[in-house]
Amino acid sequence: MIEPLILNLQARDSVSAREAEVLRSMIVREHRFVVGEDMVTEGSRPSYSTLLLDGIAARYKVLEDGRRQITALHVAGDFVDLHAFPLKTMDHSIVALSACHVGFADHGDLKRVTETEPHLTRLLWLLTVIDGAIHREWIVAMGRRSKKSHMAHLFCELLMRLQVVGKTNNNSFSFPLTQAELADVPGISLVHLSKTLRLLRDEKALDWVSRTVTIHDWRELVRLAEFEPNYLNYYTESR
Amino acid sequence: MIEPLILNLQARDSVSAREAEVLRSMIVREHRFVVGEDMVTEGSRPSYSTLLLDGIAARYKVLEDGRRQITALHVAGDFVDLHAFPLKTMDHSIVALSACHVGFADHGDLKRVTETEPHLTRLLWLLTVIDGAIHREWIVAMGRRSKKSHMAHLFCELLMRLQVVGKTNNNSFSFPLTQAELADVPGISLVHLSKTLRLLRDEKALDWVSRTVTIHDWRELVRLAEFEPNYLNYYTESR
DNA sequence: CGCTGCATTGAAGGCGGTCAAACTGCGTGG
DNA sequence: CCACGCAGTTTGACCGCCTTCAATGCAGCG
C-alpha cells in the first residue's frame, strides 16, 4: 500500500527491508479525501503527517483579496506535510485536487524513528529537502521563464515524478484539474493559461483532454522548458 | 563565534548547553569569501556544509541565456547549504553578495549527530524546513503580489531575520547589494526594480542609501506586503 | 431541453520589458 | 586639487505580455 513511497525513496537511495517494514508499520489510519477537500489547514498543528497514496494534492496560500497561489503539487508517494513534523505549525493549507487516498504517520512514531533509525531519518529529511529543491525550481520558473516554458517545465517534472511511482501510461498521466486550478501554479489568469496551453498544443508538444495529459514530443518539451531533472535527485540523472 | 546560529535555533526551540557545545565543536575551518565569490558551485558534491557567520549570500540558478534567478537570500546564522547533507549533490550555486565570514561542518560530523543526537538532528532538519517555508512565501510573492508589495515583503522578512541574530540597529541594517543583484530576487529588470523602490521611498516606507536599508514605517510596510511572519516559525509569533 | 460549469476567443488597457540617455558618487591619476 | 572614468542609479519612450471584461462554445446532467 505504501509502495509509491518506497519507490520514491528507492529512486534516491537504498531502503533496507527492515526500514521498509518500519515505514509500513508507521502508516496507519488510511483515509480518502474528495475533490476540493482540504487535507490540512493553515494554522493547525497536526500530530501526524500525511502520505499521499493516490491522487493529486496542492499546497496553497490565499491572499487577503482571495486570490490563491499554489506552492507545490503532490502525487502518489509524496509526504504532503512531512515538514510539519519538525515545524509543528502549518503555514499553509493543502487541498485534494482529485480524489485522494492517504495514510497518516503519527509524529510520535516519526520522533521514535529519529531516535532509533538514523539512516531512515536522513531519508525522510531528504524528502523534505527535495520539496525545497522543487520549490527553488518553481521560483526560477516564475521569475525567469516565459509562461509557455514554465508550463512545459511543469509537465516535464510531473511526468518524471509520476513515472518513478508508476502512475504513467507511456507518456500520459491522469491530470484531473480545472484550468482555473492550474492557473494558480504559475500565478496567471485563467484566460492567459488557456492561451498558453494552446501554444503547447499548436506545437504538438502535448495534449490535455478528458483529464489526461499526453506528452507527444518529450524532446521538444524538454527543449522549451530547458528542463534539467537533476534537482529531483534521481540516481540515474545526477550521480 | 557561532552565536548567530544559536540565536537562530533558540528563536524556534530550546537548545541545551550540551547541544550548543556539539555544534560549536562541529564548526571548524573558518573561511572568508570576498564579494562576488562563489561559495558553493552547482553540480558539486560537498563533503561539508557552510554556516554563514556574517555577511549576505544568495542561492541562484543561471538559465541558458545567462539570466539569473536568486532563489534564496541568507544572513548570519543561516546554514546556506545544509540541504546538501541529505541531498548530496548541489543543484544550484551560492554566491557571497557581501564579504562573508563562514564556518564549515563536515558531513561526517553531521552524520554522527543523526546517530547520537535526535533532538539536535530535528533542530537541523527544522532549519532546512524553514528554508522551504521561505521558498513557498517567495513563490506566493512572485505569483500573486505586485512588485511593490513583493519588495516590501522581502524587506519585512529581512528585518525580522536579521533582528533575531542581532544584525540590526533599530530599524536599519546593512544591505550592500547592487540593484542589479536585487532585481534577480523578484526576477524583474533592473530598470523596473529602480522604479519600484522609488514607490516605496515616495511613501516614506523605507530608504536604501549607502548600502544600508532603513525602515521608516514598519506598519505601512507590513500593510503593503500583507506580511504574516508565522512562516518564519519564531516562538513569539506562531505559538 | 435548458442549466451549469468549464474552456475558448476577442478587445482594450496597464504593468513590466528593453533601449537609450543622463545623473551621481567615488576612486584614481595627472 | 581637479578632471576623468567607471560603476551604479534614475528617468523617459516605446512596445509587448498578461490582465480584466465580455461573449461564445461545449459537454454533462437533471
Side-chain angles (χ1 to χ4, degrees), chain A residues 61 67 137 144 184, chain B residues 61 67-68 137 144 184:
Chain A
K61 290 200 176 197
R67 286 180 308 158
E137 200 60 43
R144 294 302 190 190
D184 286 337
Chain B
K61 291 199 175 196
R67 287 180 307 157
R68 181 173 77 164
E137 200 60 42
R144 293 302 190 191
D184 286 337

Side-chain angles (χ1 to χ4, degrees), chain B residues 2-218:
Chain B
I2 65 162
E3 291 322 311
L5 172 63
I6 304 291
L7 289 168
N8 229 347
L9 289 170
Q10 284 176 337
R12 275 81 180 209
D13 197 354
S14 53
V15 181
S16 73
R18 192 179 44 75
E19 287 170 338
E21 193 45 49
V22 170
L23 288 171
R24 226 178 299 277
S25 70
M26 219 169 54
I27 305 297
V28 295
R29 303 200 323 282
E30 284 178 72
H31 189 75
R32 286 173 195 274
F33 292 99
V34 301
V35 178
E37 194 176 357
D38 270 1
M39 300 168 48
V40 193
T41 312
E42 180 172 352
S44 66
R45 306 194 58 182
S47 62
Y48 51 83
S49 282
T50 310
L51 173 64
L52 192 49
L53 300 169
D54 198 26
I56 296 186
R59 308 198 204 181
Y60 68 94
K61 291 199 175 196
V62 179
L63 301 199
E64 287 175 11
D65 64 2
R67 287 180 307 157
R68 181 173 77 164
Q69 175 67 44
I70 288 176
T71 60
L73 287 179
H74 286 291
V75 301
D78 290 351
F79 259 112
V80 298
D81 58 351
L82 184 54
H83 61 293
F85 168 55
L87 203 51
K88 310 303 180 207
T89 307
M90 288 296 297
D91 62 324
H92 59 275
S93 303
I94 304 181
V95 62
L97 293 179
S98 71
C100 281
H101 182 198
V102 306
F104 298 114
D106 279 329
H107 286 177
D109 290 337
L110 284 166
K111 188 175 175 192
R112 208 160 307 119
V113 166
T114 66
E115 285 159 357
T116 59
E117 298 280 347
H119 180 253
L120 189 51
T121 300
R122 294 194 295 273
L123 279 183
L124 293 175
W125 187 351
L126 173 65
L127 288 183
T128 65
V129 153
I130 289 171
D131 279 352
I134 294 172
H135 288 331
R136 286 191 291 279
E137 200 60 42
W138 281 33
I139 289 173
V140 173
M142 302 192 75
R144 293 302 190 191
R145 294 188 205 283
S146 68
K147 301 307 165 186
K148 180 177 163 189
S149 173
H150 188 165
M151 285 299 93
H153 196 278
L154 178 69
F155 288 119
C156 287
E157 178 186 304
L158 285 173
L159 185 72
M160 285 207 72
R161 289 168 63 189
L162 287 163
Q163 270 172 346
V164 163
V165 292
K167 295 289 182 184
T168 57
N169 294 319
N170 300 315
N171 281 339
S172 76
F173 55 88
S174 167
F175 197 63
L177 309 210
T178 66
Q179 290 194 359
E181 287 166 334
L182 184 57
D184 286 337
V185 170
I188 63 180
S189 66
L190 176 150
V191 172
H192 198 64
L193 178 79
S194 183
K195 290 171 180 171
T196 302
L197 291 176
R198 160 157 274 289
L199 298 177
L200 292 175
R201 247 183 294 132
D202 286 350
E203 300 204 7
K204 310 212 183 310
L206 62 81
D207 268 327
W208 178 23
V209 289
S210 58
R211 307 169 155 237
T212 303
V213 168
T214 304
I215 291 172
H216 297 306
D217 192 341
W218 171 252

Side-chain angles (χ1 to χ4, degrees), chain A residues 53-83:
Chain A
L53 300 168
D54 199 26
I56 295 186
R59 308 197 203 181
Y60 68 93
K61 290 200 176 197
V62 179
L63 301 200
E64 287 176 9
D65 64 3
R67 286 180 308 158
R68 182 172 77 163
Q69 175 66 44
I70 290 176
T71 60
L73 287 179
H74 286 291
V75 302
D78 290 350
F79 259 112
V80 297
D81 59 352
L82 184 55
H83 60 293

Side-chain angles (χ1 to χ4, degrees), chain A residues 141 143-152 196 224, chain B residues 63 67:
Chain A
R144 294 302 190 190
R145 294 187 205 282
S146 69
K147 301 306 165 186
K148 181 177 163 190
S149 173
H150 188 166
M151 286 299 93
T196 302
L224 280 171
Chain B
L63 301 199
R67 287 180 307 157

